[in-house]
Amino acid sequence: MLSYDNIWESFLENYEVEDVDLPHPDRIPSVIQNALRLFNNRMRTKAICNNASEMVEGLSGEDDLILLAHYIKLVQLINSKVFYEKLYNPFAADVGVRNFKTQLDSLNNSVKEQEKLIDEIIFNAMEDFI
């Protein structure tokens, strides 16, 4: 089993941002649950979050820990991109379309790189039966 604290610490080690950009501490369990849903969907597992014990049941090991942390990071990057689009898109003409497009392209690249990294982690975690 993986503890919420271990998952969150792993996420923080892989996602260096200002504290203001992190979810409120009260939301940490729901952020982990969301990442677990994405993990379960991708890996076809049935792991569950136990909020009472703050543990994820059905997962263990470094591969699962790293993957959950990176799913949290992916969601944070997507949320940052959506926030940026909604906040600055109405003012794009005023602040300069080139700058807006450059920043948006950068955020899109970050999301794509994170998705690629998740694919690599899954590939590396697969057992070789040869």
Side-chain angles (χ1 to χ4, degrees), residues 18-55:
E18 298 293 325
D19 289 345
V20 72
D21 292 329
L22 293 173
H24 190 273
D26 294 343
R27 294 204 55 240
I28 291 173
S30 64
V31 169
I32 292 172
Q33 288 170 355
N34 185 50
L36 184 63
R37 283 190 291 274
L38 294 169
F39 179 95
N40 282 338
N41 180 266
R42 179 70 184 271
M43 303 303 287
R44 311 314 295 167
T45 58
K46 301 272 187 215
I48 59 169
C49 288
N50 183 336
N51 287 335
S53 65
E54 293 191 347
M55 300 291 281

Side-chain angles (χ1 to χ4, degrees), residues 58-85:
L59 298 180
S60 62
E62 295 294 315
D63 291 333
D64 295 339
L65 176 64
I66 292 168
L67 199 49
L68 272 175
H70 281 283
Y71 268 117
I72 295 171
K73 181 178 177 181
L74 175 63
V75 170
Q76 289 300 116
L77 289 170
I78 291 170
N79 289 343
S80 294
K81 181 177 94 71
V82 170
F83 176 76
Y84 183 81
E85 287 173 332

Side-chain angles (χ1 to χ4, degrees), residues 2-8 29 32 49-51 54-56:
L2 300 174
S3 74
Y4 286 11
D5 288 340
N6 287 343
I7 294 166
W8 195 251
I32 292 172
C49 288
N50 183 336
N51 287 335
E54 293 191 347
M55 300 291 281
V56 174

